[in-house]
């Protein structure tokens, strides 16, 4: 019987150049105190996701990915230093690991509550946004249900697939209900400067 060799799917690298030195150092600043977990609105409505979407959990996963792909401490202290290669065994990372991490990262609402209560003052939202940027650069993001929003934003400058001419329509209703005194004037760009509303193409 012929041996079937398992072919592992290539794992694309997460760009580390989207992280500055402060963001990298903050990965080691987390003390896992759990204070952020008490205040996270996502965990409040979905406590079963605590072990995957909590800030400490996401930081641990990010460190594992970066260490597996680059060697985080080697980036900080120079690529020519092989000390960490001898001291630490570089962990392996799979595509499934990264895909789970992507889902966890996008579960965050970036409300900034975790930063406000963090005793180490980690800029968590800045960190999550840079992670998302790196995931998109590596073509792991955005999520499938985000693509329609992106296409709409490109076509209409809004995520609701509504033409720009409808933006001020709510003001007429608001004036009729007495919520505003006057309907604000619509600012129109000179002819030729206003971008058209192109049809949304489902090719991403």
């Amino acid at each position: 019987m012929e041996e079937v060799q398992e072919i592992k799917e290539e794992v694309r690298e997460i760009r580390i150049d989207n992280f500055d030195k402060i963001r990298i150092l903050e990965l080691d600043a987390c003390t896992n105190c759990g204070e952020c977990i008490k205040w996270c609105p996502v965990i409040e409505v979905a406590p079963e996701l605590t072990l995957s979407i909590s800030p400490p959990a996401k930081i641990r996963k990010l460190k594992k990915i970066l260490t597996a792909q680059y060697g985080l401490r080697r980036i900080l202290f120079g690529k020519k230093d092989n000390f960490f290669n001898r001291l630490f065994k570089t962990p392996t990372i799979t595509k499934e690991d990264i895909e789970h991490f992507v889902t966890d990262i996008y579960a965050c609402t970036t409300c900034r509550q975790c930063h406000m209560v963090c005793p180490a003052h980690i800029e968590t939202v800045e960190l999550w946004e840079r992670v998302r940027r790196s995931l998109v650069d590596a073509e792991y993001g955005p999520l499938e249900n985000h693509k329609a929003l992106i296409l709409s934003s490109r076509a209409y400058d809004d995520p609701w697939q509504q033409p720009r001419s409808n933006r001020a329509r709510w003001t007429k209703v608001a004036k009729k209900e007495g919520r505003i005194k006057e309907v604000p004037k619509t600012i129109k760009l000179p002819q030729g400067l206003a971008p058209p509303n192109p049809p949304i193409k489902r090719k991403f």
Side-chain angles (χ1 to χ4, degrees), residues 66-188:
L66 294 181
T67 301
Q69 294 189 338
Y70 295 99
L72 182 59
R73 291 168 177 80
R74 184 169 55 190
I75 295 296
L76 285 174
F77 300 104
K79 294 183 178 181
K80 294 182 180 180
D81 185 1
N82 294 318
F83 172 75
F84 293 106
N85 290 333
R86 297 190 298 268
L87 185 61
F88 299 101
K89 293 182 179 179
T90 303
T92 57
I93 205 76
T94 65
K95 182 183 177 183
E96 288 72 23
D97 293 331
I98 295 184
E99 288 176 345
H100 288 313
F101 177 65
V102 172
T103 303
D104 297 337
I105 283 293
Y106 278 107
C108 174
T109 63
T110 62
C111 69
R112 202 178 172 82
Q113 192 73 352
C114 49
H115 164 70
M116 300 301 294
V117 300
C118 177
H121 305 292
I122 298 175
E123 288 284 354
T124 48
V125 173
E126 177 70 18
L127 178 60
W128 308 147
E129 291 297 335
R130 288 175 183 256
V131 171
R132 289 176 178 178
R133 186 184 310 163
S134 296
L135 293 173
V136 171
D137 289 342
E139 299 182 356
Y140 286 113
L143 298 179
E144 189 64 31
N145 54 357
H146 292 163
K147 293 181 179 180
L149 303 178
I150 296 173
L151 291 171
S152 179
S153 297
R154 290 175 179 173
Y156 301 113
D157 292 332
D158 65 61
W160 302 287
Q161 301 184 17
Q162 296 294 320
R164 298 177 182 88
S165 58
N166 289 348
R167 288 188 173 184
R169 184 175 294 178
W170 66 271
T171 59
K172 297 179 181 179
V173 178
K175 182 182 179 182
K176 186 177 180 180
E177 295 177 351
R179 288 184 286 159
I180 60 175
K181 293 182 179 180
E182 297 293 337
V183 175
K185 294 181 179 180
T186 303
I187 300 176
K188 295 184 179 180

